[in-house]
């Protein structure tokens, strides 16, 4: 699995991420577009934009979208959407004060070294009365993928990774409060992940692992995901994201 704070690691998996995971957060993206009132002409920064699927949705809504990501290959993919993308982490954006109406980070804020510094930096580039919207995986109990990750941890005799502070109920709101930002709305949304066959399941779950590890864990992943088989050859894992929006003052 990818070490989230390692931009080189994200570059390495950029194409795989785009193919296997690029669109699965769409329901969370729609929730935050609606909650922040994004409409034609809204200036939006998507920080940690990955391969650029959200930038494309923003563009289709008529927003003036800009992306930021520290991983060179992610930046290259995101630029292919046809928008400006800067190569930078959330904590230090080469962007002007008050340049945006809305800043978003979907499944990305947890990779910042310091969440408070990152949220304040998003606040710097958003105008007064603009919004910051954060969306992240919800706690493990709301995610079928947790079952598979536990099986992998057991097979490797490792500790199962904890949920982390941004994933639990109220976690994003607490991070906003720590950064001095006023929360205006929050919610939870279903983000199912579907793959058409065992190969995609294994490649998606073990994205970033070397071939030997994939071979070793393949049968563990398939067995653990058995409850999530669909009526065909594929699998659907029911997962959820939590999101929250804060106003910049
Ligand atoms: C799990 S992917 C999510 C990408 C995209 N937001 C999405 O929803 O598909 C995480 C992304 O965060 C980026 N990232 C890692 N550290 C970051 C940081 N400090 N600031 C901003 N983005 C970061 C990675 O390069 C990667 O593109």
């Amino acid at each position: 699995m990818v070490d989230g704070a390692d931009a080189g690691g994200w570059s390495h998996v950029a194409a795989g991420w785009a193919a296997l995971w690029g669109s699965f957060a769409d329901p969370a993206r729609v929730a935050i577009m609606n909650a922040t009132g994004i409409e034609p002409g809204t200036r939006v920064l998507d920080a940690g934009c990955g391969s650029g699927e959200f930038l494309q949705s923003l563009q289709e809504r008529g927003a003036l979208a800009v992306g930021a990501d520290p991983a060179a290959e992610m930046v290259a993919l995101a630029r292919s959407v046809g928008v400006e993308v800067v190569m930078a982490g959330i904590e230090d954006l080469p962007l002007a004060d008050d340049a945006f109406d809305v800043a978003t980070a979907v499944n990305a804020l947890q990779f910042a070294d310091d969440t408070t510094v990152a949220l304040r930096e998003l606040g710097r580039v958003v105008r007064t009365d603009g919004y910051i919207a954060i969306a992240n995986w919800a706690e493990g109990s709301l995610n079928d993928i947790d079952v598979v990750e536990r099986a992998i941890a057991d097979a490797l005799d490792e500790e199962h990774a904890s949920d982390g502070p941004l994933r639990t109920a109220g976690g994003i709101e607490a991070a906003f409060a720590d950064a001095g930002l006023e929360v205006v709305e929050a919610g939870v949304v279903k983000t199912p992940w579907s793959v058409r066959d065992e190969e995609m399941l294994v490649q998606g779950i073990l994205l970033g692992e070397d071939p030997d590890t994939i071979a070793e864990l393949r049968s563990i992943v398939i067995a653990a995901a058995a409850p999530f088989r669909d009526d065909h050859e594929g699998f659907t894992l029911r997962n959820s994201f939590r999101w929250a929006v804060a106003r910049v003052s």
Side-chain angles (χ1 to χ4, degrees), residues 147-164:
V147 173
V148 183
E149 290 178 340
R150 280 180 189 279
I152 294 170
D154 286 349
L156 296 174
D157 208 15
E158 289 177 354
E159 285 271 306
H160 178 59
S162 76
D163 277 335

Side-chain angles (χ1 to χ4, degrees), residues 4 10 17 22 25 29 48-50 69-71 74 88-91 106-108 111-112:
W10 282 112
W17 175 266
R29 295 165 180 158
C49 63
D69 201 284
M74 290 292 198
I90 307 182
E91 309 92 320
V106 177
N107 195 7
F111 303 129

Side-chain angles (χ1 to χ4, degrees), residues 4-7 10-11 17 21-25 29 46-54 68-71 74 88-91 105-113 137 241:
D6 170 22
W10 282 112
S11 266
W17 175 266
W21 292 99
S23 298
F24 103 105
R29 295 165 180 158
D46 184 34
C49 63
S51 38
E53 291 76 7
F54 190 25
D69 201 284
M74 290 292 198
I90 307 182
E91 309 92 320
V106 177
N107 195 7
L109 180 62
Q110 69 272 33
F111 303 129
D113 288 337
W137 285 87
F241 267 42

Side-chain angles (χ1 to χ4, degrees), residues 19-45:
L20 292 158
W21 292 99
S23 298
F24 103 105
D26 277 354
R29 295 165 180 158
V30 170
I32 63 179
M33 282 197 288
N34 292 339
T36 55
I38 289 172
E39 58 184 12
T42 306
R43 299 167 303 162
V44 185
L45 169 69

